[in-house]
Amino acid sequence: ARNSDDWRTTTQRYQAQLLRRQIETLRRLKYHPTGGFSLHHLVDPAPAISSSLLDHDRVPKKAYDAVRQACAPVIVVADRMPARLRSGETIALDIHVVSDLREVMSGEVQAEIRWPGGTYTWRWQGEIGADSVTRIGNLSWVAPADKGPVTLILLLSGDQTATNRYDSRIA
């Protein structure tokens, strides 16, 4: 980091990604082996560099929103995409919907991979069980020759809506 502001931004972005991924993974396990998680600090009691979600003035840090979104009653998630992809590499990711609702719901999941040279899109529809983790499908693709950023965008629509986004880079 070039200065303290850059360092703060970078570490808060990393904390948000880490907490979101951990919570999504625990929720996808759905009670096996855990039924939840806890946070070390919610609020800083004074100005500090810490793992809290709110600073001493109760201003949310980047991780606050990430935790809130990961704890929504219904989320759509993907397996972890590598941070760096190689052109020509085959990627296979499972897509899941986690529902804490007490009733069955129906919906459609759309997954879209975007990179500077194009997009791939997949769609699935059907029922999602009450209080369940439902494997929606497998997204399999080959990283294109175009170098640069690649983004996976997930959208659940129907009885409930949920979105998620994962970023990577083709080297």
Side-chain angles (χ1 to χ4, degrees), residues 41-48 50 52 54-58:
H41 291 114
L42 180 61
V43 180
D44 288 332
S50 77
S52 73
L54 303 167
D55 72 12
H56 67 287
D57 287 328
R58 306 315 191 252

Side-chain angles (χ1 to χ4, degrees), residues 6 20 36-37 40 47 50 69 78 86 92 94 121 124 132 144-145 152-153 159 163 166:
D6 286 349
R20 181 183 69 134
F37 64 93
H40 188 247
S50 77
Q69 290 171 4
R86 289 184 324 272
D94 281 342
T121 303
W124 304 271
S132 69
L152 168 59
I153 298 170
D159 294 343
T163 62
Y166 302 98

Side-chain angles (χ1 to χ4, degrees), residues 57-71:
D57 287 328
R58 306 315 191 252
V59 174
K61 297 179 184 179
K62 291 184 186 318
Y64 182 84
D65 239 13
V67 168
R68 185 183 57 74
Q69 290 171 4
C71 291

Side-chain angles (χ1 to χ4, degrees), residues 109-168:
V109 172
Q110 176 179 307
E112 185 174 270
I113 297 280
R114 294 180 186 169
W115 70 96
T119 62
Y120 294 129
T121 303
W122 297 259
R123 283 188 174 80
W124 304 271
Q125 59 184 44
E127 286 191 345
I128 293 127
D131 194 30
S132 69
V133 176
T134 303
R135 182 181 175 274
I136 301 303
N138 183 273
L139 181 151
S140 185
W141 60 289
V142 175
D146 303 324
K147 295 185 184 329
V150 60
T151 302
L152 168 59
I153 298 170
L154 301 174
L155 171 64
L156 167 67
S157 57
D159 294 343
Q160 296 286 317
T161 60
T163 62
N164 212 333
R165 174 190 172 122
Y166 302 98
D167 295 305
S168 186

Side-chain angles (χ1 to χ4, degrees), residues 23-34 98 133:
I23 294 166
E24 286 177 357
T25 299
L26 291 172
R27 295 212 40 218
R28 197 169 14 161
L29 295 173
K30 199 71 168 171
Y31 314 126
H32 304 283
T34 184
V98 180
V133 176

